Amino acid sequence: MKKLLFCLLLLSSYVSYGQSRGQAGNSIISGSIVDSVTNNLVEFAAVALWDANKAVDGTLTSDNGKFKFEGVKAGTYKILVSYVGYQPLSLENVTVSKNSNVDLGEIKLVGDNIQLDAVTVTGQASLIEDKIDRLVYNAEKDISNTGGTAEEVLRKVPMLSVDLDGEVELRGSSNVRVLINNKPSAIFASSVGEALRQIPSDQIKSVEVITSPSAKYDGDGTAGIVNIILKKNTLAGVTGSLNLGAGLIGSSANGSVNLRDGKWGVSLRGSGRASYNYKTTGENTRESVIDGSATYLTQLDDNIGVWGGGRYSGTFDYDFDKSTNFSITYSLRNRVRGSDGEQVSTLLDNSRNLIYENIRDIDQRNKSNSSDLDFTFTKRYANPVQELTILAQVSQNNTDNFYTALENGIGADSSENQGKDRELNFQVDYVQPMGKKVKWEVGGKGVLRSALSDGQFYSFNAATNSYALNDVRSNFLDYDQNVLAGYSSFTFELPNKWGVQAGLRYEKTTIQADFKELSNVDIPDYDNFLPSITVSKRFKEAGSIRTSYTQRIQRPSIRYLNPFVDYSNANSISYGSPTLAPELVDMFEVAMSTYFGTNSINFSVFSRVEDNSITSISNVTRKDGLDVTETTYGNIGVNKRYGSNISANLNPTNKWRLGGGVNVDYTYMDNRTISNKGWSGGVNLNTSYSFPKDWAASFFAFYRSPRVQLQGTRNGFYFHGITVKKSINKKRGSIGLGLENPFVKTIDFKSALENRTDALNYFTTTSNRSIYRRSIRIDFQYRFGKMESDGKGLFRRKSNNRGDDSVDGGDGGDEGGF
């Protein structure tokens, strides 16, 4: 670390000197810096040129890992290379003659497994990395991530669980902020689960789980942040990829074309996915007692669903010079989801006499389209730590949810809810080194959000045999939320391998809302100061320990706010609450990591205390002798969760990788009239083996136990899969066979709710649901085109020792725009 900091300081201090002295010779020294394990090119590494006793010149590698010193005198030199996360490297006795061009070729940097910013396993590319403020799952290193979606990738990440509806939980909480390439996206506005199904697993490079976000990150996400990093291409040339998959319950296709020539690059990407034969069955029972009089409901459900969606994006980026970059990305997504279902309901009275029996057929269609327009400007300085980033983003998401219901073959009701969510982001971040051991980060952000919802409900008129607008059950919402934020954060390197990162973020939120019952609703503005601090200690042997405290805020999303009532299930309706207040959380964590050889084990304990926690609340109301369950959202008193998790990444041999994790937590919830508590946990296993002749196989399994809720328990579930893969044509492509849940016919869920006011007023419900997810699929992947790392570009090519047909297996020619 001392050598690294010395080299960085040397380069920073020397650049102005080197530029002022001018060229003193006519020779050239050039080369490229690559990772010794992955052979990926290392961008913005510091390279210094020394003569016998002093620095002569200094530079940074470009985004293709290349460096060049021009105007070099004849003589003997030394090359010093350094970059955060790698051991410093010194090349001695580099001899330069007059009028010569010295090409040093590929210079390999070895990862430093003991350093402040990250601790990684050496020897081979690690599936799991533990960094100072996050855990990283390198999805591109897992062969089972073929032909699937981001939903399936996130199930393999330690500490995360994703249910079959796509809801993401981090350490038992669904209040997770999901980013793509460190940016928010309109794709997550209406449904995180639907959005994850639109991101092909083949495009994901890694997933970062940030359990202790620094002051730089938005305060949203009380459980933490999940950052999905997409693959990108930085090599010159024309490249592309094609991925096809087909199975019993779904098919997919995605492809990309990437062009890069010198300073500019263009990436075009498109993907589509369809899900079919998606069958679910369920049985729900309810006992409700109001003023001592009981009713008993049994409801049987049978549904067949289909789903389809596409995602398209284009990115243009330009390097003004080796340290200044601009990029613009436009992405568009659309989704259609439908289901045809039948509900058979039987309601009995207090004496178990039949009140009614009803067959309700429901045709549902949900549509959405969203778009993001991103502008990013990045300026790096002579010192690689110093950086300025400017980001602007415009996002929009449109939804249209519709259903029509028949009861006993006769028209009953219909509704349509159209929504439009818009968001404008502008952000500036700056990083300034202050000496050799201090880094200062400062920035600001403005967010303008608006949400519109127009819900229309129609009742069937038997006399006219048509549907008529029911104004009583119709509703609308106009909700504007603006956030102004600023932050400052310092990182200190202390003696004896201690490190501290401390910061403070300020966020001011203003809200204006109108909805049917009330206009110009007075929702108070609020200010939040959100502190964060992390203290870390690195050991002389491979390992580290860190402890952190951070405060977060969770503003209610449109899902929780929308007052429009969903009547599609006549026995159980749901709606949002526009006057919800934000929840605040205090998080404390202690984490340890240890490494031996190519193996790693990560362990952590945590506590999370939520005040004003947002949770679902159910009650049963009775009208005309019929009982209906009503579910909405409210701010309860406290939600406390304490737990621990352990994950391991083991390599018994250089061909066998074994990983997995276990998490356990205890939850206590209390709204001053109702309380609940209990234990829950989860376990996952992920293993792969590389066979001769480019064959490989992997197995994945996951289980999550039932979760504690304020009024009961939420279902647990399990999932497993097997993948076999064969690489073809010198690893340019692959053919794979995947099995989803081959050992079980259905995935079964069970939930329970209970609310007791007194002996004469209470209800209990149980829900059993089965999803048919046993499937087999075939996947095909292929990368094509020519990549070159010589920096000559598309139109100025020269052959090199690696050959024009070399294909880099790291990033696969994919671009990160989304």
Side-chain angles (χ1 to χ4, degrees):
M1 175 61 72
K2 291 181 179 178
K3 291 182 180 179
L4 172 61
L5 293 172
F6 174 76
C7 291
L8 292 178
L9 182 63
L10 167 70
L11 177 59
S12 176
S13 62
Y14 179 74
V15 169
S16 59
Y17 164 72
Q19 291 174 341
S20 64
R21 61 187 285 275
Q23 294 184 354
N26 53 11
S27 296
I28 296 174
I29 300 176
S30 62
S32 61
I33 309 300
V34 300
D35 185 290
S36 64
V37 174
T38 66
N39 283 324
N40 290 338
L41 297 166
V42 179
E43 306 173 1
F44 309 110
V47 185
L49 178 66
W50 282 61
D51 61 12
N53 52 20
K54 68 178 184 300
V56 176
D57 203 350
T59 187
L60 300 176
T61 58
S62 63
D63 63 356
N64 61 11
K66 304 288 289 185
F67 70 90
K68 180 186 292 186
F69 295 114
E70 298 179 310
V72 180
K73 282 180 164 184
T76 300
Y77 295 90
K78 175 171 63 176
I79 302 291
L80 298 180
V81 184
S82 61
Y83 189 63
V84 174
Y86 293 90
Q87 298 176 11
L89 177 69
S90 176
L91 293 180
E92 306 288 342
N93 300 318
V94 177
T95 303
V96 179
S97 57
K98 188 175 181 179
N99 297 324
S100 65
N101 188 342
V102 179
D103 186 355
L104 300 176
E106 291 186 348
I107 301 173
K108 295 188 176 183
L109 288 185
V110 178
D112 185 354
N113 67 323
I114 307 177
Q115 42 95 19
L116 176 64
D117 294 315
V119 182
T120 59
V121 179
T122 59
Q124 70 176 63
S126 176
L127 191 67
I128 304 295
E129 296 179 77
D130 184 41
K131 299 188 177 182
I132 189 171
D133 64 343
R134 70 196 64 193
L135 184 142
V136 181
Y137 167 71
N138 291 307
E140 65 177 348
K141 306 302 180 185
D142 191 339
I143 68 166
S144 65
N145 293 325
T146 303
T149 67
E151 177 184 7
E152 295 162 328
V153 172
L154 263 60
R155 287 198 182 102
K156 303 170 187 176
V157 180
M159 295 186 288
L160 294 184
S161 67
V162 185
D163 65 20
L164 279 239
D165 294 319
E167 183 170 0
V168 180
E169 287 190 355
L170 170 55
R171 290 174 169 169
S173 174
S174 60
N175 291 330
V176 181
R177 176 77 160 167
V178 181
L179 304 176
I180 297 177
N181 292 334
N182 289 297
K183 304 172 188 175
S185 175
I187 190 176
F188 297 116
S190 58
S191 172
V192 172
E194 298 292 353
L196 294 176
R197 296 187 185 104
Q198 290 184 265
I199 306 175
S201 60
D202 314 90
Q203 297 178 9
I204 299 176
K205 178 180 177 65
S206 63
V207 178
E208 299 177 344
V209 181
I210 307 173
T211 56
S212 303
S214 69
K216 177 180 179 179
Y217 291 94
D218 291 354
D220 289 319
T222 55
I225 295 173
V226 174
N227 186 26
I228 301 173
I229 304 296
L230 302 181
K231 296 175 182 178
K232 63 180 180 180
N233 173 59
T234 59
L235 296 179
V238 180
T239 63
S241 65
L242 177 65
N243 304 276
L244 303 173
L248 297 180
I249 61 174
S251 300
S252 63
N254 71 81
S256 66
V257 176
N258 309 286
L259 301 89
R260 177 162 292 279
D261 180 58
K263 293 186 174 184
W264 62 267
V266 174
S267 174
L268 302 176
R269 181 182 299 283
S271 66
R273 185 173 183 86
S275 177
Y276 37 80
N277 297 328
Y278 194 86
K279 181 179 180 180
T280 63
T281 60
E283 179 180 6
N284 304 298
T285 62
R286 183 190 67 208
E287 176 188 1
S288 55
V289 179
I290 299 178
D291 296 330
S293 177
T295 64
Y296 305 91
L297 171 72
T298 300
Q299 178 179 300
L300 304 177
D301 299 312
D302 194 339
N303 292 274
I304 292 289
V306 295
W307 181 94
R311 186 181 71 87
Y312 324 95
S313 67
T315 298
F316 172 80
D317 66 90
Y318 183 79
D319 297 325
F320 296 96
D321 53 46
K322 61 186 177 183
S323 61
T324 308
N325 172 268
F326 169 79
S327 68
I328 180 172
T329 298
Y330 179 73
S331 55
L332 177 68
R333 296 156 297 274
N334 55 65
R335 173 185 61 85
V336 177
R337 184 175 185 176
S339 66
D340 295 313
E342 181 182 78
Q343 296 176 350
V344 179
S345 302
T346 303
L347 185 66
L348 306 179
D349 65 14
N350 195 52
S351 301
R352 304 281 180 168
N353 296 317
L354 180 66
I355 297 177
Y356 77 82
E357 186 173 28
N358 183 50
I359 300 177
R360 183 174 171 88
D361 296 300
I362 305 172
D363 180 13
Q364 290 184 306
R365 296 292 181 268
N366 301 326
K367 301 178 182 179
S368 72
N369 62 79
S370 60
S371 61
D372 295 321
L373 181 61
D374 299 321
F375 304 85
T376 304
F377 173 83
T378 303
K379 171 67 176 178
R380 296 179 177 90
Y381 298 85
N383 188 326
V385 178
Q386 187 179 6
E387 181 179 276
L388 172 67
T389 303
I390 301 174
L391 168 68
Q393 183 185 62
V394 181
S395 302
Q396 180 167 309
N397 182 60
N398 303 312
T399 59
D400 187 357
N401 300 325
F402 172 84
Y403 85 83
T404 299
L406 304 177
E407 291 188 355
N408 301 316
I410 301 174
D413 51 79
S414 178
S415 81
E416 183 175 19
N417 185 201
Q418 295 181 325
K420 178 179 291 186
D421 306 318
R422 292 179 178 176
E423 183 170 314
L424 173 63
N425 288 269
F426 183 79
Q427 179 175 340
V428 178
D429 300 293
Y430 179 71
V431 182
Q432 174 65 50
M434 303 177 69
K436 296 190 295 182
K437 298 180 181 295
V438 181
K439 180 176 69 175
W440 177 41
E441 297 177 82
V442 65
K445 184 175 183 178
V447 183
L448 305 178
R449 297 188 179 106
S450 67
L452 296 173
S453 172
D454 185 10
Q456 307 292 326
F457 185 88
Y458 301 89
S459 299
F460 185 75
N461 189 324
T464 61
N465 195 34
S466 63
Y467 290 91
L469 179 66
N470 184 331
D471 189 62
V472 175
R473 289 190 170 186
S474 299
N475 213 324
F476 75 88
L477 172 69
D478 185 352
Y479 192 93
D480 294 325
Q481 180 190 91
N482 300 324
V483 180
L484 181 64
Y487 73 91
S488 179
S489 177
F490 289 88
T491 301
F492 305 89
E493 183 185 358
L494 304 177
N496 299 318
K497 300 185 182 297
W498 284 92
V500 176
Q501 184 182 72
L504 180 67
R505 185 179 184 89
Y506 167 74
E507 295 189 349
K508 180 177 182 61
T509 306
T510 61
I511 298 173
Q512 180 178 345
D514 296 288
F515 53 101
K516 183 178 179 181
E517 286 77 12
L518 296 171
S519 60
N520 295 319
V521 181
D522 185 18
I523 300 178
D525 302 343
Y526 48 90
D527 302 87
N528 298 98
F529 290 90
L530 307 173
S532 63
I533 183 169
T534 298
V535 179
S536 65
K537 164 68 175 177
R538 295 170 290 112
F539 301 112
K540 183 175 295 185
E541 295 78 16
S544 67
I545 184 172
R546 61 181 168 86
T547 181
S548 63
Y549 166 79
T550 183
Q551 190 174 85
R552 308 283 293 166
I553 184 173
Q554 184 67 44
R555 301 175 181 87
S557 67
I558 187 63
R559 169 187 172 188
Y560 301 119
L561 297 169
N562 191 353
F564 182 68
V565 182
D566 182 0
Y567 287 100
S568 58
N569 184 344
N571 298 310
S572 181
I573 63 176
S574 60
Y575 52 91
S577 175
T579 58
L580 283 174
E583 63 182 30
L584 294 174
V585 63
D586 293 283
M587 296 194 299
F588 180 78
E589 178 185 23
V590 177
M592 296 184 62
S593 301
T594 184
Y595 300 89
F596 46 99
T598 59
N599 308 293
S600 66
I601 297 178
N602 308 304
F603 174 77
S604 67
V605 294
F606 69 92
S607 74
R608 185 169 65 242
V609 179
E610 299 175 3
D611 186 26
N612 230 19
S613 180
I614 299 173
T615 191
S616 61
I617 301 174
S618 298
N619 288 291
V620 176
T621 60
R622 180 173 296 170
K623 184 177 181 181
D624 300 327
L626 302 180
D627 291 355
V628 176
T629 303
E630 296 187 6
T631 301
T632 187
Y633 299 94
N635 293 109
I636 68 171
V638 293
N639 182 355
K640 300 179 180 180
R641 181 172 279 111
Y642 311 95
S644 66
N645 58 269
I646 183 170
S647 62
N649 182 47
L650 309 177
N651 296 275
T653 71
N654 60 359
K655 296 181 179 296
W656 182 21
R657 172 182 282 140
L658 178 64
V662 177
N663 61 83
V664 178
D665 58 75
Y666 177 80
T667 302
Y668 173 78
M669 307 176 75
D670 189 348
N671 75 343
R672 300 178 182 89
T673 59
I674 306 172
S675 64
N676 198 9
K677 59 186 178 181
W679 291 91
S680 59
V683 60
N684 65 53
L685 173 68
N686 189 358
T687 184
S688 63
Y689 193 88
S690 298
F691 295 94
K693 298 183 179 180
D694 295 327
W695 284 90
S698 69
F699 173 78
F700 165 72
F702 175 87
Y703 171 74
R704 190 190 73 183
S705 70
R707 300 290 191 191
V708 174
Q709 291 186 304
L710 180 64
Q711 296 175 291
T713 58
R714 184 184 174 194
N715 51 260
F717 74 101
Y718 47 86
F719 197 93
H720 64 279
I722 300 173
T723 300
V724 179
K725 178 180 176 181
K726 165 67 175 175
S727 297
I728 59 175
N729 196 13
K730 299 180 180 179
K731 297 188 177 182
R732 283 180 174 265
S734 67
I735 298 175
L737 177 69
L739 302 175
E740 295 183 15
N741 301 295
F743 304 122
V744 295
K745 184 177 182 180
T746 61
I747 300 177
D748 301 317
F749 303 84
K750 184 176 182 179
S751 300
L753 287 177
E754 180 178 5
N755 185 38
R756 290 184 178 269
T757 305
D758 52 49
L760 299 179
N761 294 276
Y762 64 89
F763 76 88
T764 60
T765 68
T766 60
S767 174
N768 295 282
R769 181 183 174 205
S770 297
I771 299 180
Y772 292 74
R773 282 296 298 267
R774 181 158 61 183
S775 178
I776 184 172
R777 73 171 189 267
I778 298 175
D779 302 302
F780 171 77
Q781 292 181 310
Y782 198 78
R783 296 187 299 273
F784 58 87
K786 296 182 179 180
M787 298 182 185
E788 297 192 11
S789 59
D790 61 2
K792 301 298 183 181
L794 285 169
F795 310 112
R796 299 179 300 279
R797 303 196 174 194
K798 294 182 180 180
S799 62
N800 55 43
N801 294 333
R802 297 174 64 180
D804 287 343
D805 293 330
S806 64
V807 174
D808 184 283
D811 288 340
D814 293 323
E815 174 61 42
F818 184 80

